[in-house]
Amino acid sequence: MSNKVSRRQFAKIAGLSAAGMTAPLELADAMPAAVPRSAGGFPQNFLWGTATSSYQVEGAVDEDGRGVSIWDKFVRIPGKIEDGTTGDRANEHYHRYKDDIALVKELGCKAYRFSVAGPPLIKKGDGKPNPKGLDFYNRLVDELLKNGIEPWLTLYHWDLPQSLQDRFGGWRSTETCKIFGDYAAYVAEHLTDRVRNVFTLNESGRFVYFGYGIGIDAPGLTLPQAEVNQIRHNSALAHGLAVQAVRAHGRRGTRVGPAENIDACIPAIDTPEHVRAAEIALREMNAGYLNVIMEGRYTDAFLKFAGADAPRYTDAELKIISSPVDFLGLNKRFGLYHVNFDTQVRTAKLSASYYRNVIAKNAAGA
């Protein structure tokens, strides 16, 4: 029995998994062998861990040559953060990481996922590294290993250097993608001697739509749908360039893949028709990012729905985007019930309308 799953088989299995079904017989040869389980029902090799993002916990925004991130600027826009909180101090993880790691160890966690902040490493946004910016992550990784905790590294958790936003429009430009690839190579060269698992971008679906579509995350823009779709494509391109950079500059055996907050679709009624609707919705709701990564193409339904707003791309870009990955990180908080794809589309439009109304009310002081 093969332990490898093709991209096409993955799409089928994911659809069935979201529908709460087991794989049909024709997929049996694609499923991994059963693994021993603990008394609690989890596989014995299941890895319990915890995670943070740099801007949420580190603080120390003006130390060791750190540059300004889009979140540093965004939190200071009146009305964007309800209580005016900033990440200037945060949890002081930059200085108290040893105490924090001790807490992780006390919890019994065997893994810690952290993100490397871009501003300390490329503060001017020109790809030239700042060695002091790397020192903290060297100390952090060493302390994790000292305490028997496996480090999992995220290259991008939303804190783009403000200089890239100012010079290129952030993820609106492929220049940012190229610089991100150089940044990924630098991190891989210096940390994969101890870090075996690297995530590229965390939750493209969130930072693209919320940051550039409805403006409630950094950088706080509300762009036309065509630009939002292009930015999502650019983020997929950045992912592909990062995968290639880690392959070329990381230590042998380093694993790399994306982490995405997928729309997990659940059939409204347990019938074949509605199960199929959930499968289609799962595929199409995630077609603008994960599907192009896993299959190297956009689905026909996605392109048809996008119409004139579809992203512009080349075959060469699709080849980069679909560079083979070692794992796929899925962040799942809740499921979405769907009857058919048309219903899903109307739901998405209503959701966008709701958030835009919230923004309008906040701007009016309601």
Side-chain angles (χ1 to χ4, degrees):
M1 182 179 296
S2 173
N3 286 336
K4 295 183 179 180
V5 182
S6 71
R7 291 183 175 91
R8 188 173 300 279
Q9 289 167 333
F10 165 81
K12 293 180 179 179
I13 294 169
L16 293 168
S17 175
M21 298 175 61
T22 56
L25 292 177
E26 62 263 31
L27 292 180
D29 63 344
M31 298 299 291
V35 296
R37 295 184 177 273
S38 65
F42 289 91
Q44 289 182 1
N45 63 348
F46 189 88
L47 189 63
W48 288 98
T50 187
T52 61
S53 67
S54 52
Y55 186 73
Q56 289 176 317
V57 299
E58 286 183 8
V61 297
D62 57 356
E63 298 183 34
D64 293 335
R66 180 189 183 278
V68 177
S69 81
I70 56 175
W71 272 93
D72 290 314
K73 182 174 181 179
F74 178 78
V75 297
R76 287 171 169 78
I77 300 174
K80 291 297 186 181
I81 305 299
E82 185 175 357
D83 62 357
T85 301
T86 75
D88 292 1
R89 180 177 177 184
N91 299 92
E92 298 184 330
H93 185 59
Y94 192 83
H95 295 295
R96 305 179 67 174
Y97 67 94
K98 290 186 177 182
D99 294 335
D100 294 337
I101 291 172
L103 291 173
V104 173
K105 183 177 182 179
E106 185 178 344
L107 285 171
C109 294
K110 297 298 182 181
Y112 175 61
R113 180 188 171 200
F114 65 95
S115 68
V116 175
L121 269 64
I122 48 173
K123 62 178 182 176
K124 295 181 180 179
D126 57 7
K128 296 179 182 178
N130 169 29
K132 286 188 177 181
L134 187 69
D135 290 346
F136 167 71
Y137 299 104
N138 275 312
R139 297 193 301 270
L140 177 67
V141 169
D142 288 343
E143 188 69 15
L144 288 167
L145 294 174
K146 178 181 174 182
N147 285 272
I149 300 170
E150 184 177 355
W152 288 63
L153 185 155
T154 303
L155 288 169
Y156 183 72
H157 202 135
W158 310 353
D159 50 354
L160 188 73
Q162 182 63 42
S163 56
L164 294 181
Q165 189 66 38
D166 294 340
R167 293 172 62 196
F168 306 118
W171 295 110
R172 299 166 81 173
S173 171
T174 55
E175 289 300 317
T176 296
C177 302
K178 296 173 185 176
I179 290 174
F180 183 73
D182 293 339
Y183 157 77
Y186 178 75
V187 173
E189 283 179 354
H190 290 84
L191 293 179
T192 58
D193 59 331
R194 288 152 292 160
V195 177
R196 296 185 299 171
N197 297 286
V198 177
F199 288 102
T200 53
L201 286 78
N202 182 76
E203 297 189 352
S204 172
R206 164 81 190 219
F207 78 76
V208 170
Y209 181 58
F210 280 47
Y212 292 87
I214 58 177
I216 62 176
D217 280 358
L221 303 179
T222 53
L223 302 176
Q225 189 60 45
E227 290 196 62
V228 174
N229 287 341
Q230 190 65 48
I231 290 168
R232 185 181 294 107
H233 171 80
N234 289 348
S235 73
L237 177 61
H239 153 82
L241 290 170
V243 170
Q244 294 186 351
V246 172
R247 295 261 189 259
H249 297 272
R251 299 300 194 276
R252 182 181 297 274
T254 302
R255 303 196 309 161
V256 61
E260 182 65 357
N261 55 328
I262 67 166
D263 288 313
C265 306
I266 304 170
I269 306 171
D270 189 11
T271 66
E273 177 188 4
H274 291 89
V275 168
R276 180 56 182 159
E279 292 178 26
I280 295 171
L282 176 78
R283 178 180 175 81
E284 299 303 336
M285 286 287 284
N286 299 288
Y289 185 69
L290 277 189
N291 195 82
V292 72
I293 287 174
M294 299 303 291
E295 293 191 6
R297 69 182 186 90
Y298 290 105
T299 66
D300 293 339
F302 171 79
L303 293 175
K304 181 179 179 181
F305 176 68
D309 293 335
R312 300 178 303 279
Y313 54 87
T314 65
D315 290 341
E317 288 178 345
L318 293 181
K319 187 174 181 179
I320 293 171
I321 289 170
S322 58
S323 298
V325 298
D326 299 294
F327 56 77
L328 173 61
L330 301 179
N331 300 335
K332 296 197 292 186
R333 297 170 178 84
F334 55 84
L336 302 173
Y337 287 88
H338 294 294
V339 177
N340 56 47
F341 184 55
D342 288 337
T343 300
Q344 169 259 311
V345 171
R346 288 196 296 272
T347 301
K349 288 182 177 178
L350 288 172
S351 176
S353 176
Y354 167 77
Y355 282 116
R356 286 194 172 92
N357 286 336
V358 170
I359 296 167
K361 289 181 180 179
N362 287 340

